[in-house]
Amino acid sequence: MKKITFTADVLPHMVAIAIFFIVTVFFFHPLFFENKTLQQHDIQQFIGSSKAIEDYRNETGEDPLWTNSMFSGMPAYLVSVQWGNKAIAYLKTIAALFLPHPIANIFTAFVCYYVLLLCFRIRPYLAMAGAIAFGLSSFMIIGLAAGHNGRIGAIAFMPLIMAGIHLVFTGRRILGFGVTAAAMALHLRENHVQMTYYLFFIVLIYGLIHLIEAIKDKTIPVLIKNVGILVVAVLLGLGTFFGQLWALKEYSAYSTRGKSDLARGMTETDGDAAGMSKAHAFEFSNGILEPFTLMIPNFYGGSSGNFLFTDRNSEVYQALVRSGDQQTANRLANFTGAYWGEQRLAAPYYAGAIIVFLFALGIAFAERKYVWWLLSVSVLGILLSWGSNFAGFNYLMFDYFPGYNNFRSVTFTLVIVLFAMPLLGLLGLERLWAKGVTKQAQRKLLIVLGSTGGLCLLLWLFAGMFSFTRDAEAQLPAWFTDALAEDRKALFRADTIRSFFFILAAFIVIYFDVHKKMSAIGFYAFLIFMITADLAAVDKRYFTDENYKRKRDNSFFAITPADQEILKDKSYYRVFNLSYLTGRGDNPFAEARTSYYHHSIGGYHGAKLRRYAEFYDSCIVVETQQFVGQIQQGNMSFENLSAFNMLNIKYIVIGPGQEDLMLNRSAYGNAWFAEEIVRTGDAVTELNKTCSVDTRTTAVVDTSRFQVDSITPDSTANIKLVELSPRHLTYESQSSSDGLAIFSEIYYPGWEATIDGKAAEVLRADYVLRALEIPAGNHTIEFTFEPRPYIVGNKITSVSSWLVLLVLLGSIYWSFKKDEGS
């Protein structure tokens, strides 16, 4: 066994951890030194959506599994449920040195990419620079600012999975098995399947390269053995996510990511047989030139949230002042965004000028199999990021590549490029140094400089070939658009020359073999510092002091007089917050602040129940417009708002004050008996009928899915809710004839019902609600929610998690004890 020395084998890794810790702490210094916390929009919404779940868990010690606080009800295990993978959670906490969430994800990204580079035989001090480049890419920082903690956490562990796979393929099978299983478990726990999907592309092309190599070298049996080991490791890692995966698979069929029942009469852009519509999937697509932001962050002006009129030295500001018309200036101020690309909302994903230079160097010098692998995945990532702007390829992927139509925001595919760039760059640099910087190598380096730094200079010189305006700005005054273009050109040119100088600095130290002419520590420190300074400076453009708030600041959830008045009502009802129609920043169907205190018909989630979303768009939106029109005419009646009333919307909020609260006395309550049934044979007719009939007396049932007997109306029949918890409801009914009871609860498979202890089929009525056929007489009806993905799947998750931890520890111990031939 190789003898381990402190200086060569321990000290570099200690230095790496210390540097990663210092960079993390100083980049996020307000969290550590100013008693502040991050202000993340998505996390604020998550807190609102999960409040009722957390309260129930704290009160009862168990998870509710269903939440009534959002979208009139949805599975809680899609929002916030404690699964049985605590062992994996402990592992992440230790790996992140107990740093606070979510910045622990950035530190973890540093560590995991560092391990990946070590596994590819990159010397530790170079690996530190590459790890910082990966973790501080603006993709990671912008995602963190938005509150996409799950996405950033999942990305952080992608390099560790690839490290384990590479260990297996390079002979360290036992260690690679343990690392792959643990990394897979850590990655999946972050619950961002889209990033797992993109990781699949990286691994697939890696595998194809090794398949070609195995065929050429006639080592197919070795390849099969390696693949077999990795399959077992991945399955073990999947076991720690088994419950969640089962739940996601079950839920996706009924969510906005799954198949719509409204297939008849749909156009290509309305939706597809299984998955979301193309228009929705490719809503955010990079322009063809937008990947240039990987090297020049302000290629398209920077973030769409950067408004030029705020800078008193800008041409735009001066032009608005010179206009002398305050009203016109105020109107035009809304059009002063620095971003002039094709997207509605955008922020540049910057890899770093030095990293782009090194990537080109890697193409020139790295081993050919790694060039083919990492260049191929980079090209693929860019092609996919173009989305609808490269429709021929991407629509083909959307229509035929398995599962691809389940994901949107295709600009996220640039994570593949950001994964590949530092790795290929440092592989090239290592190989260059191994062979020496010869005259031939210097000629190649000049070509690399020309293709990167030279391109920056050309763009700087010929910046005038771009218009620096958007098509939608053609109607604006010429004096204004001229000033706008000048400011955008200035931003463009400043960043092109900035990137050129960073590239030139890297070129000089490599071309003249500076690392042999100065101390090794000095050279590594220079490279680490330059990469960190480059990325951190750009990151701070999008992650400023405005991203922090005092820990005691809870103004977003501050209770209003309207909230206080509603909470006096202890019955079970729902709230519709229409104040978000008046410019408070969200729409009523996409905010979870209301869910913090009440049972809301809106909420915040990436994958809502599809039928509920369709019902909202078709019925609630129309009735909301009708309701607003009525109010403007002084008509405060709710009787004709059957969609409102069937959801038991008892309170409508139009502002924060008590006087901004409207009581709906026409809401149907928790349950009622239908007087007649309208039978339909398809979902389109079912939805249209639900939006048009009086749902208090008429139940709409799709009899192609659910069989229902005829009923005899009983005007004296009644049904009432007597016991309520998120996963259990009890009703008592009384009727002189058989009837169909409609419950103001969202239909979802997994809910089971009994009538006097005997199982009864749960039907769906009025497109989204539960219904039961109830015989004449007095009865007790109970609904229970005990979904198998949680009840059964969670046990498998728990066992697998502890097994993975044991396997990881065992493989590490074995690697110290026995040389596996590495």
Side-chain angles (χ1 to χ4, degrees):
M1 188 171 104
K2 177 186 173 182
K3 184 178 179 181
I4 296 175
T5 62
F6 177 79
T7 303
D9 301 307
V10 177
L11 181 61
H13 310 315
M14 293 177 65
V15 171
I17 297 299
I19 288 175
F20 300 154
F21 187 85
I22 291 168
V23 170
T24 304
V25 169
F26 276 90
F27 188 86
F28 299 102
H29 65 88
L31 273 69
F32 298 93
F33 305 120
E34 299 177 26
N35 194 36
K36 291 184 178 181
T37 186
L38 292 183
Q39 182 169 284
Q40 300 170 292
H41 173 267
D42 282 20
I43 299 308
Q44 287 180 324
Q45 300 294 343
F46 169 76
I47 292 170
S49 64
S50 62
K51 176 65 160 53
I53 299 171
E54 296 287 345
D55 288 347
Y56 183 86
R57 184 185 296 129
N58 293 334
E59 290 171 8
T60 66
E62 62 181 22
D63 278 291
L65 305 185
W66 184 267
T67 177
N68 292 308
S69 67
M70 285 204 306
F71 304 119
S72 301
M74 68 176 290
Y77 51 72
L78 271 299
V79 182
S80 171
V81 164
Q82 292 182 347
W83 294 89
N85 51 9
K86 290 183 179 179
I88 306 303
Y90 297 150
L91 183 59
K92 180 183 177 179
T93 300
I94 294 169
L97 294 186
F98 301 90
L99 283 167
H101 182 74
I103 66 166
N105 289 335
I106 300 300
F107 177 83
T108 305
F110 292 153
V111 173
C112 291
Y113 207 85
Y114 176 74
V115 172
L116 170 70
L117 292 171
L118 293 180
C119 291
F120 276 86
R121 307 291 186 180
I122 305 298
R123 64 192 70 186
Y125 292 101
L126 274 184
M128 294 174 204
I132 290 172
F134 179 73
L136 279 188
S137 70
S138 68
F139 185 100
M140 302 289 279
I141 302 304
I142 291 168
L144 198 71
H148 298 172
N149 297 340
R151 172 164 65 93
I152 303 307
I155 293 169
F157 291 110
M158 287 168 60
L160 195 60
I161 296 173
M162 195 64 244
I165 293 171
H166 189 66
L167 283 170
V168 170
F169 272 94
T170 51
R172 305 289 301 273
R173 292 193 178 105
I174 292 177
L175 182 60
F177 176 81
V179 170
T180 303
M184 198 72 194
L186 288 161
H187 169 80
L188 290 173
R189 183 182 173 275
E190 301 296 325
N191 197 8
H192 204 293
V193 180
Q194 186 171 0
M195 295 303 110
T196 310
Y197 195 89
Y198 296 158
L199 174 64
F200 169 76
F201 288 128
I202 298 171
V203 175
L204 176 64
I205 297 177
Y206 177 90
L208 288 174
I209 297 297
H210 278 274
L211 174 61
I212 294 169
E213 190 177 48
I215 292 171
K216 186 170 64 176
D217 297 340
K218 298 180 181 180
T219 56
I220 292 294
V222 176
L223 176 73
I224 293 173
K225 183 176 181 179
N226 290 337
V227 171
I229 290 170
L230 290 171
V231 167
V232 176
V234 169
L235 289 175
L236 188 56
L238 281 170
T240 69
F241 192 64
F242 183 79
Q244 294 102 310
L245 190 63
W246 187 356
L248 285 169
K249 184 178 185 302
E250 179 184 86
Y251 181 78
S252 64
Y254 304 99
S255 78
T256 51
R257 306 294 176 95
K259 179 181 178 180
S260 174
D261 292 331
L262 301 176
R264 185 181 302 175
M266 295 173 69
T267 66
E268 183 187 48
T269 57
D270 289 329
D272 295 286
M276 67 182 72
S277 69
K278 287 187 175 73
H280 188 55
F282 297 119
E283 178 185 2
F284 297 101
S285 298
N286 268 337
I288 297 300
L289 296 181
E290 208 141 5
F292 270 105
T293 62
L294 292 166
M295 179 170 66
I296 303 167
N298 273 344
F299 187 92
Y300 270 114
S303 168
S304 54
N306 178 22
F307 288 92
L308 296 168
F309 79 92
T310 60
D311 181 3
R312 291 178 176 270
N313 295 317
S314 68
E315 292 292 329
V316 163
Y317 180 84
Q318 298 300 325
L320 291 175
V321 171
R322 287 194 301 268
S323 72
D325 185 341
Q326 188 63 47
Q327 185 176 358
T328 299
N330 290 339
R331 179 177 62 84
L332 292 175
N334 294 320
F335 297 93
T336 62
Y339 176 75
W340 53 280
E342 299 180 20
Q343 298 186 67
R344 177 171 58 85
L345 296 172
Y349 295 147
Y350 180 58
I354 294 174
I355 293 301
V356 173
F357 170 76
L358 290 177
F359 180 68
L361 183 149
I363 295 172
F365 292 101
E367 193 175 346
R368 290 299 91 187
K369 66 178 180 181
Y370 295 135
V371 173
W372 283 114
W373 168 42
L374 294 168
L375 184 59
S376 297
V377 298
S378 298
V379 170
L380 177 62
I382 289 173
L383 294 179
L384 293 174
S385 78
W386 284 338
S388 57
N389 293 315
F390 195 58
F393 175 74
N394 285 304
Y395 283 6
L396 187 71
M397 288 287 293
F398 185 90
D399 289 331
Y400 298 107
F401 203 86
Y404 190 70
N405 58 1
N406 285 313
F407 307 113
R408 68 188 299 258
S409 298
V410 293
T411 56
F412 288 170
T413 58
L414 287 179
V415 71
I416 300 173
V417 186
L418 294 164
F419 174 94
M421 277 188 160
L423 177 56
L424 183 58
L426 293 180
L427 283 168
L429 186 57
E430 277 286 359
R431 200 154 188 258
L432 170 64
W433 281 347
K435 292 187 174 183
V437 184
T438 61
K439 293 292 184 183
Q440 183 181 4
Q442 287 181 330
R443 283 194 293 270
K444 281 188 177 183
L445 282 170
L446 287 171
I447 295 172
V448 171
L449 175 65
S451 64
T452 54
L455 179 59
C456 288
L457 275 184
L458 286 174
L459 289 170
W460 181 78
L461 287 170
F462 297 102
M465 64 183 176
F466 298 106
S467 69
F468 296 102
T469 57
R470 308 174 81 169
D471 292 341
E473 295 166 350
Q475 305 302 317
L476 299 175
W479 61 265
F480 175 75
T481 54
D482 288 345
L484 198 59
E486 282 300 314
D487 282 333
R488 289 169 174 172
K489 184 193 291 186
L491 290 172
F492 176 89
R493 298 189 75 185
D495 266 9
T496 54
I497 203 68
R498 175 188 185 278
S499 291
F500 169 75
F501 281 117
F502 272 108
I503 289 169
L504 183 64
F507 166 79
I508 289 171
V509 296
I510 295 171
Y511 184 86
F512 293 105
D513 228 357
V514 170
H515 79 290
K516 290 182 179 178
K517 299 179 174 68
M518 61 187 294
S519 70
I521 294 298
F523 173 79
Y524 296 135
F526 170 79
L527 189 62
I528 291 169
F529 174 78
M530 289 293 286
I531 289 174
T532 304
D534 177 20
L535 290 166
V538 172
D539 289 341
K540 285 299 181 182
R541 299 176 184 179
Y542 317 112
F543 200 91
T544 66
D545 289 342
E546 294 179 2
N547 292 98
Y548 299 94
K549 65 176 182 179
R550 291 289 176 187
K551 289 185 177 180
R552 293 185 297 276
D553 178 11
N554 195 31
S555 56
F556 182 74
F557 295 109
I559 192 166
T560 66
D563 293 324
Q564 292 173 330
E565 186 64 23
I566 295 171
L567 291 172
K568 292 177 183 178
D569 188 339
K570 302 304 179 184
S571 63
Y572 178 40
Y573 52 84
R574 295 194 179 95
V575 175
F576 191 11
N577 195 336
L578 285 179
S579 66
Y580 288 90
L581 287 176
T582 60
R584 286 182 57 184
D586 287 292
N587 68 68
F589 197 52
E591 59 85 22
R593 190 266 170 205
T594 305
S595 301
Y596 190 85
Y597 292 106
H598 314 293
H599 297 145
S600 174
I601 72 160
Y604 191 85
H605 197 274
K608 296 172 277 291
L609 281 169
R610 187 157 197 157
R611 274 186 166 253
Y612 188 78
E614 292 164 347
F615 173 77
Y616 183 91
D617 292 339
S618 300
C619 303
I620 295 293
V621 169
V622 172
E623 286 196 0
T624 300
Q625 294 168 348
Q626 179 184 339
F627 175 65
V628 171
Q630 288 179 186
I631 292 177
Q632 291 171 345
Q633 297 173 10
N635 179 2
M636 309 297 286
S637 173
F638 291 90
E639 292 180 2
N640 60 337
L641 305 177
S642 62
F644 276 37
N645 295 330
M646 65 182 260
L647 291 183
N648 196 20
I649 299 174
K650 191 174 181 180
Y651 294 97
I652 291 87
V653 180
I654 59 174
Q658 185 175 332
E659 69 280 2
D660 299 319
L661 191 60
M662 304 180 70
L663 174 63
N664 175 16
R665 300 185 186 277
S666 300
Y668 300 162
N670 307 120
W672 61 94
F673 278 100
E675 296 178 12
E676 65 173 313
I677 300 172
V678 172
R679 292 171 169 82
T680 67
D682 62 82
V684 174
T685 307
E686 181 188 7
L687 180 57
N688 290 336
K689 286 291 185 182
T690 300
C691 293
S692 60
V693 303
D694 179 359
T695 52
R696 177 62 183 85
T697 58
T698 304
V700 181
V701 179
D702 182 355
T703 51
S704 68
R705 304 285 186 95
F706 302 94
Q707 297 303 311
V708 59
D709 295 331
S710 300
I711 59 173
T712 302
D714 175 11
S715 60
T716 64
N718 67 84
I719 182 169
K720 61 181 180 179
L721 178 67
V722 295
E723 185 182 341
L724 168 70
S725 73
R727 55 201 283 189
H728 183 262
L729 300 96
T730 303
Y731 299 81
E732 290 180 353
S733 71
Q734 182 180 12
S735 176
S736 61
S737 60
D738 295 348
L740 181 69
I742 312 298
F743 300 86
S744 186
E745 299 292 341
I746 301 304
Y747 176 87
Y748 183 75
W751 277 99
E752 297 178 352
T754 61
I755 300 176
D756 299 330
K758 295 180 180 178
E761 181 186 4
V762 181
L763 310 176
R764 185 180 62 226
D766 299 337
Y767 205 71
V768 293
L769 298 184
R770 297 175 216 161
L772 280 180
E773 291 183 302
I774 300 177
N778 299 334
H779 301 286
T780 299
I781 300 109
E782 293 184 273
F783 284 97
T784 57
F785 190 59
E786 299 290 336
R788 288 176 59 80
Y790 184 84
I791 303 302
V792 176
N794 202 34
K795 293 181 175 63
I796 298 172
T797 295
S798 181
V799 171
S800 299
S801 297
W802 289 106
L803 183 58
V804 163
L805 187 59
L806 291 173
V807 165
L808 175 65
L809 295 174
S811 66
I812 293 173
Y813 176 77
W814 179 271
S815 71
F816 277 107
K817 283 299 199 180
K818 186 175 179 66
D819 182 9
E820 295 182 317
S822 59

